[in-house]
Amino acid sequence: MYRFLFFIFLTTFSFLISAQEAYNTKNMVVSMIDIQSKTYKKDSTANAFFIYEKGFSRVENGGGYNLLTDHEAKIKILNEQGYDHATVKVLLYRNKKHKESFNSLVAYTYNLEQGKVIKTKVEKNQIYYEEHDQNFTSVKFTFSNIKPGSVLTYKYQIESPFMYKFNGWEFQDDIPKMHSEFIADLPGNYIYNIKLVGTLKLSTKESTIKKRCLQAPGLGSADCSHNIYIMKDIPAFKEEKYMTAKSNYFSRIEYELKEFKGFDGVNKKYTETWKNVDNKLKKEATIGVQLKKLSATKNLLPDSIQSLPKDIATAKIIYRYISNNYKWNKKKRIFNDGNINKVIKDKVGNVSDINILLHNVLKQQQFMVHPVLLSTRDNGYATKIHPVISDFNYLIVQLSLDGKTYLLDATEKALTFGEVPFRCLNQYGRLLDFKNGSSWINIEPKKHSIHFFKEDLILNEELELSGKAKHVYSGYHAYFKRKELNYSSNEKFLNNIKNQNQEITISDAHINNQNSFEKAIEVEFNFTRNVSEIDDIFYIKPFTKAFFEKNPFKLNQRTYPVDFGYKDSYSYLVSIEIPKNYDFIDIPKNLAYTLPNELAQVAINFQKNGNKLIINHRITFNSSYYPTEYYATLKEFFNHIISIENDSLIAVGRVH
């Protein structure tokens, strides 16, 4: 009897737990379970999530030729950390003549209070408009009476006069979604480039024909392609280290107008060829016109530089002269306010100004150079399928000399000749050659960036451990160190080194090659370090400073690649000398791990020679880019690194 009742209890309990997750994902109706449920089993870390979301975009019928998009959503708030999602932000595009409008908001907060469902409406005075930037207006509305367990619903419509900007849809967000649906009615006389971005798969993709969905009185009508896209159980997009712009990866659908076929028989193409774009850029006031102003730079360089031979040494001198004497104003805009004469006069300009000046000076001195347009890491990838000039936000220079090419950017003094800032390492750019036609080029460092640490440790008769260290940084590691030094004094920089490890005392620290940009930066110092003792056994950590103290990868699943930006190499060479009446009684084993296809290796080797132990530790990343399928193995690879660098101990004892 008791067993039977217990079985009924378990069955009932399981049913209740299951019912708590049975949210209404079919429509906007707020069910009692929507309000009562307190969990989201598919992501126990979620603070809020979308139960349901739907969008519907189409062209206004009746000749208005406006785009209408209805947006509706139902959000569950699980705890106080989810309250941020009680504020909704919508961006409206505008130009000098037209703007999008935000209409027909209906929004409620649903709570269960004393057994009754209470609805709290968002009023008109809770809607706020403010300027987001030069192209967008921000609309915000905030729900009130928010509590853990609240359900939020909202509906609104965006009306847009910009036919070339057919509204896309973002299936993924920084919180999970149970159901996201998008319907697009595309008129047959509007032809769009359609792009599905991200790694997540659609659960539904349907396309049918709607007859005479768009009518222009007195002119004719057009059929529509009626498209339904549904994605379910969408994980939250969680940002992690070593990624480029979020817009490169989170799952969404995008539209770009390719061609319009008018009812009067006139067709207009919107997507251009690179040949046409090259011709336009050649005449563009802030790019092409400025690139022709070579005479403005004729007397810019000192005679001592102009008289030098046209070789790589001279190119480096010219590059350094421009980077030292002209200042970047931190603006990336490349199609605004370009004027090389003003830059020469004021000695300050945006990224395009500074690098066009570099281009023109080098070309005036008979070097072969071309401008390169690119999109920075935080701006997203530039579209490769067809020209989208608005994707680009940066300009650098390519120098060709003696069969080699060098990418140059004069906006920062900390760079080595041939390097571009880390922000530019976004895989590729478009080289502009107005004579032979533009082309895509790879933007990636040719060499590994290197950490090299060398430390000599001596354990004296008093069992005090002292050491001499030389830390060498080249490539992008030197670049980051020089930038750090630019923002702080040498004394503060050295104090930071001292404060990184409370177990050591540093003395006689100094920096070499800080302003010798073609050389590696060297940091040298002497130090003393603690030694642990247990039962007359002394334990020494082989590494004073670990390359990696924690695993940078924490996610159970990452839906986007790992992008370091550059290939990397870390080397640590340590020698430990002990008194002659002591011996190494426990030395860790030699270890080595390799990623598939030898994309990365980590190894540590211990070699004993009398009273001296030589430790050689090396980490090599042979790629700067690791696709999503490598994430689990890369995460485990870092676990091996962390274990080697932080858990290795060497035991030393007296010889009897």
Side-chain angles (χ1 to χ4, degrees), residues 100-112:
E100 294 178 333
S101 61
F102 177 85
N103 307 314
S104 309
L105 176 67
V106 178
Y108 290 96
T109 304
Y110 288 77
N111 287 304
L112 192 63

Side-chain angles (χ1 to χ4, degrees), residues 530-580:
N530 297 332
V531 177
S532 300
E533 179 189 358
I534 302 175
D535 297 331
D536 294 327
I537 304 296
F538 299 89
Y539 295 92
I540 302 173
K541 291 182 178 180
F543 307 118
T544 302
K545 175 179 169 56
F547 292 127
F548 298 95
E549 294 181 355
K550 296 180 181 178
N551 194 327
F553 302 119
K554 307 293 185 184
L555 300 177
N556 293 327
Q557 180 184 10
R558 176 160 161 158
T559 59
Y560 49 93
V562 172
D563 190 329
F564 293 114
Y566 50 87
K567 298 175 184 178
D568 229 339
S569 177
Y570 300 81
S571 296
Y572 216 134
L573 183 61
V574 181
S575 70
I576 302 175
E577 184 178 342
I578 60 176
K580 291 184 178 180

